[in-house]
Amino acid sequence: MKKYFLLYLLTLIFYSTPCFAQDSTSVISINPSEGLSKGYYSFSVGMNFGQYTSKNEDAFIYYILDEQNIKYNIKLGFAYNIKDNRSFGVGFRYINDDTTIEYENAVGDTINTSSLERRYVTSLYYGISKSLFGSKRVFLISDPSVFFTVGNTDSSRTLDGISELSESTLRSLSIGLHVGLQVFLAPKLSTQILVGPVGVGYQWEDFTLDGEPNESADSFFVRMSPDILSFEFSISRYF
């Protein structure tokens, strides 16, 4: 993850540094951020990828022998600029979170667990772009949004050769926002880096255990701070 972040920062520095000078001296007549003007449409593609590995780690009440987590999401977005630096859009996101853990409990039993979570998110958002230090290429961005989420999680737990299978299905409604930076590489092409979302919501879950219904639950949730280690990179084309 650090490798991708450093690559993005190098790109940001490469494109933004000369552009600050150009903006201040009016060397170029072309508007680099033309795509943010009223009346333009945009199409964006984004992704996030993270991998976590842990071995031989003491977790207080159990001992982790081997833990692997791979998480990624893919995003598509469509928006229309209702006025300069303001847009209204719809987004679609697929999230995949795969985790396997082998650990020892307090009495020395070795337990294997695995879970695979898939979520499908549709959002309606209001995009806001604000120039950073007066630049025409680099912008601070945010997107107050309404999120509709459905998904399911398949889990298994194995002890002494006996496996227990469980499944949950989820539905949620929430409001929140991402924040980040946007850099225009060309008048109708930009790249973004985002963190988030933060916000509040309500979710409903139904559970099954070994194929049999196992109650349901609903809850209110709050995300007060974004996961700053989970950066999302995207690129947008304006028409």
Side-chain angles (χ1 to χ4, degrees):
M1 196 65 218
K2 291 182 180 178
K3 179 178 68 176
Y4 294 112
F5 181 53
L6 290 175
L7 180 61
Y8 184 87
L9 284 181
L10 289 174
T11 303
L12 177 64
I13 293 171
F14 177 80
Y15 281 100
S16 62
T17 302
C19 294
F20 281 122
Q22 290 177 335
D23 290 345
S24 60
T25 58
S26 301
V27 173
I28 55 176
S29 58
I30 296 176
N31 180 10
S33 56
E34 178 184 352
L36 295 179
S37 301
K38 178 181 178 180
Y40 274 87
Y41 293 89
S42 66
F43 170 72
S44 61
V45 178
M47 71 167 296
N48 168 279
F49 176 82
Q51 183 172 356
Y52 173 80
T53 300
S54 178
K55 293 181 181 292
N56 304 322
E57 181 178 333
D58 190 356
F60 301 107
I61 61 173
Y62 58 92
Y63 187 80
I64 297 174
L65 299 173
D66 187 14
E67 179 178 3
Q68 303 278 342
N69 174 250
I70 298 176
K71 183 176 182 178
Y72 65 87
N73 72 67
I74 301 171
K75 181 190 77 172
L76 299 176
F78 306 87
Y80 174 73
N81 294 342
I82 57 177
K83 59 181 180 179
D84 291 353
N85 298 343
R86 299 291 187 271
S87 63
F88 182 79
V90 58
F92 305 94
R93 187 187 306 269
Y94 171 69
I95 301 170
N96 190 96
D97 191 349
D98 190 0
T99 303
T100 59
I101 305 176
E102 182 183 9
Y103 67 95
E104 288 184 353
N105 62 17
V107 296
D109 296 323
T110 299
I111 302 172
N112 291 276
T113 66
S114 65
S115 67
L116 177 59
E117 179 183 0
R118 308 178 191 87
R119 295 195 181 192
Y120 307 86
V121 184
T122 300
S123 62
L124 300 175
Y125 64 89
Y126 181 65
I128 303 171
S129 300
K130 185 176 181 180
S131 175
L132 182 63
F133 305 123
S135 173
K136 294 182 179 179
R137 286 186 183 265
V138 185
F139 292 79
L140 295 173
I141 54 175
S142 60
D143 61 354
S145 308
V146 178
F147 301 97
F148 307 91
T149 303
V150 297
N152 67 284
T153 301
D154 297 321
S155 303
S156 68
R157 180 177 182 272
T158 303
L159 172 62
D160 294 333
I162 301 175
S163 296
E164 181 180 80
L165 303 177
S166 62
E167 181 181 4
S168 67
T169 58
L170 174 142
R171 304 173 304 282
S172 73
L173 174 64
S174 61
I175 58 175
L177 61 83
H178 297 84
V179 294
L181 286 177
Q182 178 179 35
V183 179
F184 276 85
L185 309 179
K188 298 179 183 179
L189 181 68
S190 71
T191 182
Q192 295 82 231
I193 179 173
L194 297 168
V195 294
V198 295
V200 298
Y202 201 83
Q203 69 180 27
W204 301 262
E205 276 191 277
D206 298 314
F207 302 93
T208 62
L209 182 62
D210 291 330
E212 298 295 328
N214 188 34
E215 300 184 349
S216 60
D218 53 89
S219 60
F220 176 79
F221 62 87
V222 179
R223 297 191 188 99
M224 295 302 295
S225 61
D227 181 358
I228 61 174
L229 298 179
S230 296
F231 299 99
E232 178 182 277
F233 304 94
S234 63
I235 189 165
S236 298
R237 182 74 169 89
Y238 296 83
F239 303 90

mmCIF file with all atom_site columns, all heavy atoms in Angstrom, residues 3-22:
data_model
loop_
_atom_site.group_PDB
_atom_site.id
_atom_site.type_symbol
_atom_site.label_atom_id
_atom_site.label_alt_id
_atom_site.label_comp_id
_atom_site.label_asym_id
_atom_site.label_entity_id
_atom_site.label_seq_id
_atom_site.pdbx_PDB_ins_code
_atom_site.Cartn_x
_atom_site.Cartn_y
_atom_site.Cartn_z
_atom_site.occupancy
_atom_site.B_iso_or_equiv
_atom_site.pdbx_formal_charge
_atom_site.auth_seq_id
_atom_site.auth_comp_id
_atom_site.auth_asym_id
_atom_site.auth_atom_id
_atom_site.pdbx_PDB_model_num
ATOM 1   N N   . LYS A 1 3  ? 3.763  1.587  -1.298  1.00 0.00 ? 3  LYS A N   1
ATOM 2   C CA  . LYS A 1 3  ? 4.351  1.762  -2.623  1.00 0.00 ? 3  LYS A CA  1
ATOM 3   C C   . LYS A 1 3  ? 3.427  2.550  -3.526  1.00 0.00 ? 3  LYS A C   1
ATOM 4   O O   . LYS A 1 3  ? 3.849  3.479  -4.217  1.00 0.00 ? 3  LYS A O   1
ATOM 5   C CB  . LYS A 1 3  ? 4.655  0.388  -3.236  1.00 0.00 ? 3  LYS A CB  1
ATOM 6   C CG  . LYS A 1 3  ? 5.238  0.465  -4.635  1.00 0.00 ? 3  LYS A CG  1
ATOM 7   C CD  . LYS A 1 3  ? 5.566  -0.918 -5.155  1.00 0.00 ? 3  LYS A CD  1
ATOM 8   C CE  . LYS A 1 3  ? 4.308  -1.723 -5.401  1.00 0.00 ? 3  LYS A CE  1
ATOM 9   N NZ  . LYS A 1 3  ? 4.601  -3.043 -5.997  1.00 0.00 ? 3  LYS A NZ  1
ATOM 10  N N   . TYR A 1 4  ? 2.119  2.216  -3.511  1.00 0.00 ? 4  TYR A N   1
ATOM 11  C CA  . TYR A 1 4  ? 1.164  2.920  -4.346  1.00 0.00 ? 4  TYR A CA  1
ATOM 12  C C   . TYR A 1 4  ? 1.007  4.364  -3.889  1.00 0.00 ? 4  TYR A C   1
ATOM 13  O O   . TYR A 1 4  ? 0.871  5.279  -4.695  1.00 0.00 ? 4  TYR A O   1
ATOM 14  C CB  . TYR A 1 4  ? -0.191 2.215  -4.317  1.00 0.00 ? 4  TYR A CB  1
ATOM 15  C CG  . TYR A 1 4  ? -0.173 0.846  -4.941  1.00 0.00 ? 4  TYR A CG  1
ATOM 16  C CD1 . TYR A 1 4  ? -0.348 -0.293 -4.169  1.00 0.00 ? 4  TYR A CD1 1
ATOM 17  C CD2 . TYR A 1 4  ? 0.043  0.681  -6.305  1.00 0.00 ? 4  TYR A CD2 1
ATOM 18  C CE1 . TYR A 1 4  ? -0.313 -1.556 -4.732  1.00 0.00 ? 4  TYR A CE1 1
ATOM 19  C CE2 . TYR A 1 4  ? 0.082  -0.571 -6.880  1.00 0.00 ? 4  TYR A CE2 1
ATOM 20  C CZ  . TYR A 1 4  ? -0.100 -1.692 -6.093  1.00 0.00 ? 4  TYR A CZ  1
ATOM 21  O OH  . TYR A 1 4  ? -0.072 -2.937 -6.652  1.00 0.00 ? 4  TYR A OH  1
ATOM 22  N N   . PHE A 1 5  ? 1.039  4.603  -2.582  1.00 0.00 ? 5  PHE A N   1
ATOM 23  C CA  . PHE A 1 5  ? 0.868  5.955  -2.073  1.00 0.00 ? 5  PHE A CA  1
ATOM 24  C C   . PHE A 1 5  ? 2.051  6.825  -2.472  1.00 0.00 ? 5  PHE A C   1
ATOM 25  O O   . PHE A 1 5  ? 1.892  7.980  -2.889  1.00 0.00 ? 5  PHE A O   1
ATOM 26  C CB  . PHE A 1 5  ? 0.715  5.909  -0.559  1.00 0.00 ? 5  PHE A CB  1
ATOM 27  C CG  . PHE A 1 5  ? 0.509  7.263  0.075   1.00 0.00 ? 5  PHE A CG  1
ATOM 28  C CD1 . PHE A 1 5  ? -0.500 8.097  -0.382  1.00 0.00 ? 5  PHE A CD1 1
ATOM 29  C CD2 . PHE A 1 5  ? 1.317  7.688  1.103   1.00 0.00 ? 5  PHE A CD2 1
ATOM 30  C CE1 . PHE A 1 5  ? -0.702 9.333  0.185   1.00 0.00 ? 5  PHE A CE1 1
ATOM 31  C CE2 . PHE A 1 5  ? 1.121  8.926  1.674   1.00 0.00 ? 5  PHE A CE2 1
ATOM 32  C CZ  . PHE A 1 5  ? 0.108  9.757  1.226   1.00 0.00 ? 5  PHE A CZ  1
ATOM 33  N N   . LEU A 1 6  ? 3.298  6.288  -2.351  1.00 0.00 ? 6  LEU A N   1
ATOM 34  C CA  . LEU A 1 6  ? 4.468  7.053  -2.746  1.00 0.00 ? 6  LEU A CA  1
ATOM 35  C C   . LEU A 1 6  ? 4.455  7.362  -4.234  1.00 0.00 ? 6  LEU A C   1
ATOM 36  O O   . LEU A 1 6  ? 4.837  8.459  -4.651  1.00 0.00 ? 6  LEU A O   1
ATOM 37  C CB  . LEU A 1 6  ? 5.733  6.266  -2.377  1.00 0.00 ? 6  LEU A CB  1
ATOM 38  C CG  . LEU A 1 6  ? 6.035  6.151  -0.874  1.00 0.00 ? 6  LEU A CG  1
ATOM 39  C CD1 . LEU A 1 6  ? 7.233  5.238  -0.654  1.00 0.00 ? 6  LEU A CD1 1
ATOM 40  C CD2 . LEU A 1 6  ? 6.299  7.523  -0.270  1.00 0.00 ? 6  LEU A CD2 1
ATOM 41  N N   . LEU A 1 7  ? 4.016  6.421  -5.037  1.00 0.00 ? 7  LEU A N   1
ATOM 42  C CA  . LEU A 1 7  ? 3.915  6.649  -6.477  1.00 0.00 ? 7  LEU A CA  1
ATOM 43  C C   . LEU A 1 7  ? 2.936  7.772  -6.772  1.00 0.00 ? 7  LEU A C   1
ATOM 44  O O   . LEU A 1 7  ? 3.196  8.639  -7.616  1.00 0.00 ? 7  LEU A O   1
ATOM 45  C CB  . LEU A 1 7  ? 3.467  5.360  -7.182  1.00 0.00 ? 7  LEU A CB  1
ATOM 46  C CG  . LEU A 1 7  ? 3.312  5.432  -8.709  1.00 0.00 ? 7  LEU A CG  1
ATOM 47  C CD1 . LEU A 1 7  ? 4.645  5.786  -9.351  1.00 0.00 ? 7  LEU A CD1 1
ATOM 48  C CD2 . LEU A 1 7  ? 2.805  4.107  -9.250  1.00 0.00 ? 7  LEU A CD2 1
ATOM 49  N N   . TYR A 1 8  ? 1.831  7.784  -6.052  1.00 0.00 ? 8  TYR A N   1
ATOM 50  C CA  . TYR A 1 8  ? 0.842  8.848  -6.266  1.00 0.00 ? 8  TYR A CA  1
ATOM 51  C C   . TYR A 1 8  ? 1.417  10.198 -5.851  1.00 0.00 ? 8  TYR A C   1
ATOM 52  O O   . TYR A 1 8  ? 1.230  11.203 -6.548  1.00 0.00 ? 8  TYR A O   1
ATOM 53  C CB  . TYR A 1 8  ? -0.434 8.548  -5.477  1.00 0.00 ? 8  TYR A CB  1
ATOM 54  C CG  . TYR A 1 8  ? -1.529 9.564  -5.734  1.00 0.00 ? 8  TYR A CG  1
ATOM 55  C CD1 . TYR A 1 8  ? -2.408 9.400  -6.801  1.00 0.00 ? 8  TYR A CD1 1
ATOM 56  C CD2 . TYR A 1 8  ? -1.653 10.681 -4.923  1.00 0.00 ? 8  TYR A CD2 1
ATOM 57  C CE1 . TYR A 1 8  ? -3.388 10.333 -7.053  1.00 0.00 ? 8  TYR A CE1 1
ATOM 58  C CE2 . TYR A 1 8  ? -2.625 11.619 -5.178  1.00 0.00 ? 8  TYR A CE2 1
ATOM 59  C CZ  . TYR A 1 8  ? -3.504 11.443 -6.234  1.00 0.00 ? 8  TYR A CZ  1
ATOM 60  O OH  . TYR A 1 8  ? -4.469 12.377 -6.470  1.00 0.00 ? 8  TYR A OH  1
ATOM 61  N N   . LEU A 1 9  ? 2.131  10.258 -4.721  1.00 0.00 ? 9  LEU A N   1
ATOM 62  C CA  . LEU A 1 9  ? 2.702  11.518 -4.270  1.00 0.00 ? 9  LEU A CA  1
ATOM 63  C C   . LEU A 1 9  ? 3.723  12.059 -5.270  1.00 0.00 ? 9  LEU A C   1
ATOM 64  O O   . LEU A 1 9  ? 3.777  13.262 -5.526  1.00 0.00 ? 9  LEU A O   1
ATOM 65  C CB  . LEU A 1 9  ? 3.361  11.327 -2.907  1.00 0.00 ? 9  LEU A CB  1
ATOM 66  C CG  . LEU A 1 9  ? 2.425  11.219 -1.701  1.00 0.00 ? 9  LEU A CG  1
ATOM 67  C CD1 . LEU A 1 9  ? 3.248  11.044 -0.424  1.00 0.00 ? 9  LEU A CD1 1
ATOM 68  C CD2 . LEU A 1 9  ? 1.532  12.445 -1.584  1.00 0.00 ? 9  LEU A CD2 1
ATOM 69  N N   . LEU A 1 10 ? 4.526  11.165 -5.840  1.00 0.00 ? 10 LEU A N   1
ATOM 70  C CA  . LEU A 1 10 ? 5.484  11.598 -6.852  1.00 0.00 ? 10 LEU A CA  1
ATOM 71  C C   . LEU A 1 10 ? 4.779  12.183 -8.065  1.00 0.00 ? 10 LEU A C   1
ATOM 72  O O   . LEU A 1 10 ? 5.206  13.196 -8.628  1.00 0.00 ? 10 LEU A O   1
ATOM 73  C CB  . LEU A 1 10 ? 6.376  10.417 -7.269  1.00 0.00 ? 10 LEU A CB  1
ATOM 74  C CG  . LEU A 1 10 ? 7.392  9.936  -6.219  1.00 0.00 ? 10 LEU A CG  1
ATOM 75  C CD1 . LEU A 1 10 ? 8.097  8.685  -6.711  1.00 0.00 ? 10 LEU A CD1 1
ATOM 76  C CD2 . LEU A 1 10 ? 8.404  11.033 -5.914  1.00 0.00 ? 10 LEU A CD2 1
ATOM 77  N N   . THR A 1 11 ? 3.682  11.551 -8.479  1.00 0.00 ? 11 THR A N   1
ATOM 78  C CA  . THR A 1 11 ? 2.890  12.080 -9.597  1.00 0.00 ? 11 THR A CA  1
ATOM 79  C C   . THR A 1 11 ? 2.320  13.447 -9.261  1.00 0.00 ? 11 THR A C   1
ATOM 80  O O   . THR A 1 11 ? 2.343  14.372 -10.068 1.00 0.00 ? 11 THR A O   1
ATOM 81  C CB  . THR A 1 11 ? 1.741  11.110 -9.940  1.00 0.00 ? 11 THR A CB  1
ATOM 82  O OG1 . THR A 1 11 ? 2.288  9.831  -10.239 1.00 0.00 ? 11 THR A OG1 1
ATOM 83  C CG2 . THR A 1 11 ? 0.960  11.611 -11.140 1.00 0.00 ? 11 THR A CG2 1
ATOM 84  N N   . LEU A 1 12 ? 1.803  13.578 -8.033  1.00 0.00 ? 12 LEU A N   1
ATOM 85  C CA  . LEU A 1 12 ? 1.227  14.838 -7.586  1.00 0.00 ? 12 LEU A CA  1
ATOM 86  C C   . LEU A 1 12 ? 2.261  15.948 -7.605  1.00 0.00 ? 12 LEU A C   1
ATOM 87  O O   . LEU A 1 12 ? 2.007  17.047 -8.102  1.00 0.00 ? 12 LEU A O   1
ATOM 88  C CB  . LEU A 1 12 ? 0.657  14.659 -6.179  1.00 0.00 ? 12 LEU A CB  1
ATOM 89  C CG  . LEU A 1 12 ? 0.077  15.897 -5.497  1.00 0.00 ? 12 LEU A CG  1
ATOM 90  C CD1 . LEU A 1 12 ? -1.118 16.406 -6.268  1.00 0.00 ? 12 LEU A CD1 1
ATOM 91  C CD2 . LEU A 1 12 ? -0.300 15.589 -4.064  1.00 0.00 ? 12 LEU A CD2 1
ATOM 92  N N   . ILE A 1 13 ? 3.468  15.660 -7.058  1.00 0.00 ? 13 ILE A N   1
ATOM 93  C CA  . ILE A 1 13 ? 4.522  16.674 -7.023  1.00 0.00 ? 13 ILE A CA  1
ATOM 94  C C   . ILE A 1 13 ? 4.967  17.054 -8.432  1.00 0.00 ? 13 ILE A C   1
ATOM 95  O O   . ILE A 1 13 ? 5.156  18.228 -8.753  1.00 0.00 ? 13 ILE A O   1
ATOM 96  C CB  . ILE A 1 13 ? 5.717  16.147 -6.208  1.00 0.00 ? 13 ILE A CB  1
ATOM 97  C CG1 . ILE A 1 13 ? 5.311  16.000 -4.736  1.00 0.00 ? 13 ILE A CG1 1
ATOM 98  C CG2 . ILE A 1 13 ? 6.923  17.071 -6.334  1.00 0.00 ? 13 ILE A CG2 1
ATOM 99  C CD1 . ILE A 1 13 ? 6.335  15.281 -3.889  1.00 0.00 ? 13 ILE A CD1 1
ATOM 100 N N   . PHE A 1 14 ? 5.093  16.053 -9.304  1.00 0.00 ? 14 PHE A N   1
ATOM 101 C CA  . PHE A 1 14 ? 5.560  16.293 -10.670 1.00 0.00 ? 14 PHE A CA  1
ATOM 102 C C   . PHE A 1 14 ? 4.640  17.237 -11.432 1.00 0.00 ? 14 PHE A C   1
ATOM 103 O O   . PHE A 1 14 ? 5.086  18.151 -12.114 1.00 0.00 ? 14 PHE A O   1
ATOM 104 C CB  . PHE A 1 14 ? 5.673  14.961 -11.422 1.00 0.00 ? 14 PHE A CB  1
ATOM 105 C CG  . PHE A 1 14 ? 6.090  15.120 -12.860 1.00 0.00 ? 14 PHE A CG  1
ATOM 106 C CD1 . PHE A 1 14 ? 7.413  15.318 -13.202 1.00 0.00 ? 14 PHE A CD1 1
ATOM 107 C CD2 . PHE A 1 14 ? 5.138  15.060 -13.881 1.00 0.00 ? 14 PHE A CD2 1
ATOM 108 C CE1 . PHE A 1 14 ? 7.789  15.459 -14.528 1.00 0.00 ? 14 PHE A CE1 1
ATOM 109 C CE2 . PHE A 1 14 ? 5.504  15.201 -15.199 1.00 0.00 ? 14 PHE A CE2 1
ATOM 110 C CZ  . PHE A 1 14 ? 6.830  15.400 -15.526 1.00 0.00 ? 14 PHE A CZ  1
ATOM 111 N N   . TYR A 1 15 ? 3.318  17.013 -11.273 1.00 0.00 ? 15 TYR A N   1
ATOM 112 C CA  . TYR A 1 15 ? 2.367  17.811 -12.031 1.00 0.00 ? 15 TYR A CA  1
ATOM 113 C C   . TYR A 1 15 ? 2.011  19.129 -11.351 1.00 0.00 ? 15 TYR A C   1
ATOM 114 O O   . TYR A 1 15 ? 1.727  20.114 -12.019 1.00 0.00 ? 15 TYR A O   1
ATOM 115 C CB  . TYR A 1 15 ? 1.080  17.019 -12.291 1.00 0.00 ? 15 TYR A CB  1
ATOM 116 C CG  . TYR A 1 15 ? 1.215  16.035 -13.417 1.00 0.00 ? 15 TYR A CG  1
ATOM 117 C CD1 . TYR A 1 15 ? 1.439  14.686 -13.148 1.00 0.00 ? 15 TYR A CD1 1
ATOM 118 C CD2 . TYR A 1 15 ? 1.153  16.440 -14.737 1.00 0.00 ? 15 TYR A CD2 1
ATOM 119 C CE1 . TYR A 1 15 ? 1.580  13.771 -14.180 1.00 0.00 ? 15 TYR A CE1 1
ATOM 120 C CE2 . TYR A 1 15 ? 1.298  15.532 -15.771 1.00 0.00 ? 15 TYR A CE2 1
ATOM 121 C CZ  . TYR A 1 15 ? 1.502  14.195 -15.490 1.00 0.00 ? 15 TYR A CZ  1
ATOM 122 O OH  . TYR A 1 15 ? 1.638  13.292 -16.498 1.00 0.00 ? 15 TYR A OH  1
ATOM 123 N N   . SER A 1 16 ? 2.011  19.159 -10.038 1.00 0.00 ? 16 SER A N   1
ATOM 124 C CA  . SER A 1 16 ? 1.530  20.355 -9.354  1.00 0.00 ? 16 SER A CA  1
ATOM 125 C C   . SER A 1 16 ? 2.599  21.431 -9.208  1.00 0.00 ? 16 SER A C   1
ATOM 126 O O   . SER A 1 16 ? 2.306  22.616 -9.268  1.00 0.00 ? 16 SER A O   1
ATOM 127 C CB  . SER A 1 16 ? 0.983  19.991 -7.969  1.00 0.00 ? 16 SER A CB  1
ATOM 128 O OG  . SER A 1 16 ? 1.985  19.449 -7.157  1.00 0.00 ? 16 SER A OG  1
ATOM 129 N N   . THR A 1 17 ? 3.882  21.029 -9.019  1.00 0.00 ? 17 THR A N   1
ATOM 130 C CA  . THR A 1 17 ? 4.918  22.013 -8.768  1.00 0.00 ? 17 THR A CA  1
ATOM 131 C C   . THR A 1 17 ? 5.086  23.015 -9.897  1.00 0.00 ? 17 THR A C   1
ATOM 132 O O   . THR A 1 17 ? 5.032  24.220 -9.685  1.00 0.00 ? 17 THR A O   1
ATOM 133 C CB  . THR A 1 17 ? 6.261  21.307 -8.482  1.00 0.00 ? 17 THR A CB  1
ATOM 134 O OG1 . THR A 1 17 ? 6.094  20.441 -7.361  1.00 0.00 ? 17 THR A OG1 1
ATOM 135 C CG2 . THR A 1 17 ? 7.363  22.326 -8.215  1.00 0.00 ? 17 THR A CG2 1
ATOM 136 N N   . PRO A 1 18 ? 5.259  22.570 -11.154 1.00 0.00 ? 18 PRO A N   1
ATOM 137 C CA  . PRO A 1 18 ? 5.377  23.548 -12.225 1.00 0.00 ? 18 PRO A CA  1
ATOM 138 C C   . PRO A 1 18 ? 4.088  24.302 -12.463 1.00 0.00 ? 18 PRO A C   1
ATOM 139 O O   . PRO A 1 18 ? 4.099  25.420 -12.937 1.00 0.00 ? 18 PRO A O   1
ATOM 140 C CB  . PRO A 1 18 ? 5.766  22.699 -13.454 1.00 0.00 ? 18 PRO A CB  1
ATOM 141 C CG  . PRO A 1 18 ? 5.273  21.335 -13.148 1.00 0.00 ? 18 PRO A CG  1
ATOM 142 C CD  . PRO A 1 18 ? 5.421  21.190 -11.674 1.00 0.00 ? 18 PRO A CD  1
ATOM 143 N N   . CYS A 1 19 ? 2.969  23.682 -12.104 1.00 0.00 ? 19 CYS A N   1
ATOM 144 C CA  . CYS A 1 19 ? 1.692  24.329 -12.400 1.00 0.00 ? 19 CYS A CA  1
ATOM 145 C C   . CYS A 1 19 ? 1.410  25.489 -11.470 1.00 0.00 ? 19 CYS A C   1
ATOM 146 O O   . CYS A 1 19 ? 0.737  26.438 -11.842 1.00 0.00 ? 19 CYS A O   1
ATOM 147 C CB  . CYS A 1 19 ? 0.556  23.308 -12.290 1.00 0.00 ? 19 CYS A CB  1
ATOM 148 S SG  . CYS A 1 19 ? 0.667  22.048 -13.554 1.00 0.00 ? 19 CYS A SG  1
ATOM 149 N N   . PHE A 1 20 ? 1.924  25.455 -10.231 1.00 0.00 ? 20 PHE A N   1
ATOM 150 C CA  . PHE A 1 20 ? 1.744  26.588 -9.332  1.00 0.00 ? 20 PHE A CA  1
ATOM 151 C C   . PHE A 1 20 ? 2.417  27.815 -9.945  1.00 0.00 ? 20 PHE A C   1
ATOM 152 O O   . PHE A 1 20 ? 1.879  28.916 -9.912  1.00 0.00 ? 20 PHE A O   1
ATOM 153 C CB  . PHE A 1 20 ? 2.350  26.293 -7.962  1.00 0.00 ? 20 PHE A CB  1
ATOM 154 C CG  . PHE A 1 20 ? 1.502  25.429 -7.093  1.00 0.00 ? 20 PHE A CG  1
ATOM 155 C CD1 . PHE A 1 20 ? 1.978  24.223 -6.592  1.00 0.00 ? 20 PHE A CD1 1
ATOM 156 C CD2 . PHE A 1 20 ? 0.210  25.808 -6.777  1.00 0.00 ? 20 PHE A CD2 1
ATOM 157 C CE1 . PHE A 1 20 ? 1.179  23.430 -5.792  1.00 0.00 ? 20 PHE A CE1 1
ATOM 158 C CE2 . PHE A 1 20 ? -0.591 25.008 -5.965  1.00 0.00 ? 20 PHE A CE2 1
ATOM 159 C CZ  . PHE A 1 20 ? -0.101 23.823 -5.482  1.00 0.00 ? 20 PHE A CZ  1
ATOM 160 N N   . ALA A 1 21 ? 3.605  27.612 -10.504 1.00 0.00 ? 21 ALA A N   1
ATOM 161 C CA  . ALA A 1 21 ? 4.312  28.730 -11.122 1.00 0.00 ? 21 ALA A CA  1
ATOM 162 C C   . ALA A 1 21 ? 3.570  29.221 -12.351 1.00 0.00 ? 21 ALA A C   1
ATOM 163 O O   . ALA A 1 21 ? 3.450  30.421 -12.599 1.00 0.00 ? 21 ALA A O   1
ATOM 164 C CB  . ALA A 1 21 ? 5.735  28.302 -11.501 1.00 0.00 ? 21 ALA A CB  1
ATOM 165 N N   . GLN A 1 22 ? 3.042  28.312 -13.146 1.00 0.00 ? 22 GLN A N   1
ATOM 166 C CA  . GLN A 1 22 ? 2.325  28.707 -14.337 1.00 0.00 ? 22 GLN A CA  1
ATOM 167 C C   . GLN A 1 22 ? 1.060  29.467 -13.993 1.00 0.00 ? 22 GLN A C   1
ATOM 168 O O   . GLN A 1 22 ? 0.713  30.453 -14.637 1.00 0.00 ? 22 GLN A O   1
ATOM 169 C CB  . GLN A 1 22 ? 1.988  27.472 -15.163 1.00 0.00 ? 22 GLN A CB  1
ATOM 170 C CG  . GLN A 1 22 ? 3.212  26.840 -15.813 1.00 0.00 ? 22 GLN A CG  1
ATOM 171 C CD  . GLN A 1 22 ? 2.849  25.582 -16.575 1.00 0.00 ? 22 GLN A CD  1
ATOM 172 O OE1 . GLN A 1 22 ? 1.850  24.936 -16.269 1.00 0.00 ? 22 GLN A OE1 1
ATOM 173 N NE2 . GLN A 1 22 ? 3.648  25.225 -17.545 1.00 0.00 ? 22 GLN A NE2 1
#
